[in-house]
Amino acid sequence: MGINLSKKDNIESKHCVPLGLYPSCNWDNKTIKKLILEKKLAPIFDGIEENENNEPLDECPICFYFYPYLNKSSCCKQPICTECYMQIKGTPKNEGSCPYCNNEGFNVDYCGAKSTEEREQEEQERKKIEEAQIRIKKEEEEREKERMIELKKKQEEEAAKEREEREKNEKNSLDDILNVNNNNNGKKKRKKKKKKKKI
């Protein structure tokens, strides 16, 4: 179910009261109405969980509901709905800190609904970000693939080196055994010769 938008002239005057997103609100209704009518705060609407009809709505990153109008933090220009702003701020006079960048003196600006051009620009930027993320992921996968190939090559070289060293040691051991046998055979022959001479 979409959000029913009134005529533009009546939007602020008909959406000046908190709708119960939070159990309590420490802001006076007169103050809220005054700020909304002065266009210092976004009008308050019931948010929707899913923007299934692709209406011109924006998501509040705090409550994750979609709204036709949002404020922007004065410090880092991040979107936030009016009820979330009032809840975080606590009271109009409270300094508070920005939930996004932790800047002290949390305040917001309201610039009205986004234009078609602004939404198109945001969509283009979103696509660029997605493409960059895909490219980075592919590059990381390629680097990981190359790293695994290099690791496998190194392991094969080490295995070949160990095999060569083992074969060399085995050959040396065999040569040592042959040398011992040859020495023993030589001693036996010399003993036999000595015995013949005695006879």
Side-chain angles (χ1 to χ4, degrees):
M1 185 175 179
I3 293 175
N4 184 23
L5 295 177
S6 307
K7 290 182 179 180
K8 192 171 182 181
D9 294 339
N10 298 324
I11 287 174
E12 284 81 9
S13 61
K14 290 185 177 181
H15 298 275
C16 299
V17 181
L19 299 174
L21 179 61
Y22 296 95
S24 62
C25 178
N26 295 324
W27 289 55
D28 180 76
N29 284 348
K30 288 183 180 180
T31 302
I32 298 170
K33 184 173 183 178
K34 181 176 182 292
L35 291 171
I36 290 176
L37 290 176
E38 291 175 352
K39 300 185 185 298
K40 293 180 179 178
L41 279 180
I44 301 171
F45 284 82
D46 265 326
I48 60 173
E49 292 185 14
E50 297 292 338
N51 189 11
E52 295 175 349
N53 298 325
N54 292 322
E55 296 182 57
L57 305 175
D58 295 293
E59 185 182 35
C60 171
I62 304 298
C63 64
F64 301 108
Y65 283 99
F66 287 87
Y67 299 91
Y69 304 97
L70 290 176
N71 307 285
K72 284 187 177 181
S73 58
S74 301
C75 44
C76 56
K77 307 303 179 186
Q78 295 301 311
I80 185 170
C81 72
T82 295
E83 286 195 80
C84 284
Y85 167 67
M86 293 189 297
Q87 188 70 22
I88 292 169
K89 184 82 169 174
T91 65
K93 293 182 179 180
N94 187 31
E95 286 294 318
S97 59
C98 175
Y100 303 109
C101 67
N102 293 321
N103 190 58
E104 293 297 327
F106 180 41
N107 286 301
V108 295
D109 300 311
Y110 171 57
C111 303
K114 291 179 182 176
S115 66
T116 303
E117 290 77 14
E118 286 177 318
R119 292 188 180 280
E120 287 176 353
Q121 186 177 355
E122 284 184 354
E123 182 64 18
Q124 290 175 359
E125 289 175 356
R126 185 188 63 79
K127 286 181 178 179
K128 284 180 181 179
I129 291 171
E130 286 181 354
E131 289 171 359
Q133 289 173 337
I134 292 170
R135 186 174 65 253
I136 290 170
K137 186 178 179 181
K138 285 183 177 179
E139 288 173 356
E140 288 176 350
E141 288 175 351
E142 192 63 30
R143 283 195 297 269
E144 181 64 15
K145 185 178 178 181
E146 290 175 359
R147 192 184 71 82
M148 293 303 296
I149 291 172
E150 191 65 28
L151 180 62
K152 185 178 179 181
K153 182 180 177 182
K154 187 177 179 181
Q155 289 174 340
E156 288 175 349
E157 288 175 352
E158 289 177 352
K161 188 176 180 180
E162 289 177 1
R163 185 167 57 252
E164 185 181 344
E165 189 69 25
R166 186 170 58 252
E167 290 174 353
K168 184 179 178 181
N169 291 336
E170 288 174 355
K171 185 176 181 299
N172 290 338
S173 297
L174 182 60
D175 290 342
D176 291 341
I177 292 169
L178 291 173
N179 288 333
V180 170
N181 289 337
N182 289 335
N183 290 336
N184 289 337
N185 290 334
K187 288 179 181 178
K188 287 179 181 179
K189 288 179 180 179
R190 284 195 294 273
K191 285 181 180 179
K192 286 181 181 180
K193 286 180 180 180
K194 287 180 181 180
K195 286 180 181 179
K196 286 179 181 180
K197 286 180 181 180
K198 286 181 181 179
I199 294 169

